[in-house]
Amino acid sequence: MHDEIAYLSAHELRTAYTRRELSPVEVVRALGDRIQALDAFLNTMTATSPEQALQAAQASEQRYREGRPLPLDGVPVAVKDLIDTADLQTTYGSGMFAGHLPHRDAPVVRLVRAAGGIVIGKSATHEFAWGITTDNEHFGPTRNPWAPDRVPGGSSGGSAAALAAGLAPLALGTDTAGSIRIPAAFCGVVGLKPTHGAVDGRGVFPLSPSLDHVGPMARTVSDVRLLHSVISKPDYRLHRADPDPSSLAIEGLRVGICPDLDQIPLGSAAQAARDATAAAFTELGAQVVEVPVPDAPRLYETLGAVVLAEGSRVHRRAGLWPGRGAEYGQEVRSRLELAAIADADKYVDSQYERVRLHSVMHQILSAVDVLLSPVSAISPVPIGQEKLRHAGRQLPFRELVMTSTAPQSLTGQPACTVRAGFDEHGLPVGVQLTSPPRTESRLLDIAEHLHRATEALQNRWPTMQPIHAVGRSVPDT
């Protein structure tokens, strides 16, 4: 199963290529074999092109031989199936786009390829990215490698699951309401929602344009930094592509916690993860402070109203709704039907709440350097479960998760998800770190320091064993 290759980071691959210890062709073939062995069950990929990937690997190998490698040369990248890739099926998670072959790459994919990155496959998404489970009614559910009966989160669930299963070292995701951060937390990987507008979103099927982000995902913070340095716009470019140890001192850093934003009571695993992260920061010399925010804006309702109104407009303008309504899965169709009868005042009210939230987040990040918060109140649920009882109430799974991701979604501030622990079932639990707009370099420095300080926690991955006779894979964690 080439496990020694499967969990190498992008930085480790580049070093191995330079030293001639591995070749890009060898890695592409090894990961291709692993995808073939595992993915019929995990369902992380919607399309692959082994020939195209092999050709790109051969070109990378030649550049290494000539001593002129590019920043991502020979590093495989999974690209979310919401993002156009030339001559490689891009369905946007919808049955109505099955077999769709874009004529050109989205700008973000062009940047990856120009840097030598190899598109290893298209990673699964919720239909039109409108969901947080990646349980796709057209193509089947994507499974969480840590517990295959559980959701991986969404809508970038294919990207996160592929990383956790060792199918690719880097991935592109998108985040509208938490769609990078949620699957990163549920699958125990690192995900960055950059500042809104930092990465070109053209060639990416929109969900809610004022909230949509494209961002990097990986198993390490340093790999996320590397990919972000390639895909971000020049005005948002990081100061450096590699971590600088001299910049990582965080003694005196002010880390904020804001319980007033916890509008859903945290489950024990989410609370323990935040507490453990706060303790880790304290041990590193940071100052952890509580920042009160009386009368915090409504989060879940505000986010939902924006996505509903803008998402409906996108599908009407694309000529898909209502004319092709029968071709949607039931979940997305029901949201579009709801949007058709929604009160326009709710969208207007959401804009008032959004302005208030901008003020609140500015207040918080004026008092501290970085905000530490949960990604979800609970752990991932079994595939197909839409509601559960929590804190004495029956609540939708969406509300239990998206309430925590709403502040950064609505304000467009950068947020980085990092693994912070495991729940009682051995599933990873993540936290998110948030900083002011355009401060990704500093945010990733802080996340890098936390990642290194909790190295023992970060190096654990599920070991997937293929069982060809029954077409299943059983994780051994």
Side-chain angles (χ1 to χ4, degrees), residues 315-335:
H315 285 259
R316 284 185 281 106
R317 287 192 147 196
L320 302 177
W321 179 262
R324 301 181 68 176
E327 298 178 66
Y328 286 88
Q330 178 56 41
E331 185 179 359
V332 174
R333 183 167 59 247
S334 66
R335 291 189 184 126

Side-chain angles (χ1 to χ4, degrees), residues 190-468:
V190 181
L192 173 68
K193 182 191 79 65
T195 301
H196 188 263
V199 180
D200 196 329
R202 291 175 297 164
V204 181
F205 198 97
L207 172 54
S208 180
S210 76
L211 305 175
D212 292 345
H213 302 68
V214 180
M217 304 174 73
R219 289 186 292 267
T220 69
V221 176
S222 57
D223 277 3
V224 162
R225 179 193 296 275
L226 174 64
L227 184 53
H228 187 61
S229 72
V230 167
I231 65 174
S232 56
K233 295 177 183 176
D235 289 350
Y236 293 82
R237 199 66 38 91
L238 298 176
H239 301 316
R240 58 190 181 279
D242 294 302
D244 176 8
S246 67
S247 73
L248 293 180
I250 59 172
E251 182 129 7
L253 182 85
R254 296 167 301 164
V255 177
I257 292 176
C258 183
D260 289 331
L261 293 181
D262 299 336
Q263 296 182 0
I264 295 289
L266 300 185
S268 59
Q271 184 65 59
R274 184 166 66 182
D275 290 347
T277 304
F281 273 124
T282 300
E283 180 122 5
L284 290 169
Q287 180 185 4
V288 178
V289 298
E290 187 171 309
V291 183
V293 179
D295 192 28
R298 299 188 307 274
L299 298 175
Y300 179 71
E301 298 87 346
T302 300
L303 181 63
V306 175
V307 174
L308 195 67
E310 294 188 4
S312 173
R313 184 171 182 265
V314 164
H315 285 259
R316 284 185 281 106
R317 287 192 147 196
L320 302 177
W321 179 262
R324 301 181 68 176
E327 298 178 66
Y328 286 88
Q330 178 56 41
E331 185 179 359
V332 174
R333 183 167 59 247
S334 66
R335 291 189 184 126
L336 289 165
E337 290 170 346
L338 179 61
I341 60 173
D343 185 349
D345 286 347
K346 288 186 177 180
Y347 182 72
V348 175
D349 290 343
S350 75
Q351 299 311 301
Y352 294 148
E353 290 293 278
R354 198 170 178 180
V355 169
R356 286 212 305 130
L357 182 60
H358 272 279
S359 177
V360 163
M361 294 299 282
H362 177 74
Q363 173 189 338
I364 293 171
L365 291 170
S366 294
V368 297
D369 299 299
V370 66
L371 173 65
L372 166 63
S373 63
V375 178
S376 169
I378 60 168
S379 297
V381 294
I383 293 169
Q385 184 170 350
E386 297 180 358
K387 291 186 177 182
L388 66 159
R389 191 161 186 82
H390 177 78
R393 292 189 293 159
Q394 191 78 5
L395 292 170
F397 177 58
R398 290 170 58 82
E399 185 173 353
L400 289 165
V401 179
M402 289 166 50
T403 301
S404 297
T405 57
Q408 301 83 356
S409 299
L410 290 162
T411 61
Q413 292 168 313
C416 184
T417 295
V418 179
R419 188 191 299 179
F422 291 88
D423 71 5
E424 65 274 21
H425 302 295
L427 293 168
V429 181
V431 294
Q432 59 183 330
L433 304 173
T434 305
S435 64
R438 293 176 175 260
T439 60
E440 280 87 337
S441 282
R442 183 60 174 144
L443 176 62
L444 290 172
D445 284 347
I446 296 167
E448 177 78 37
H449 208 147
L450 177 63
H451 205 263
R452 292 184 183 186
T454 57
E455 187 175 3
L457 178 68
Q458 308 299 336
N459 289 338
R460 177 179 167 189
W461 297 103
T463 302
M464 306 298 298
Q465 300 294 335
I467 303 178
H468 299 290

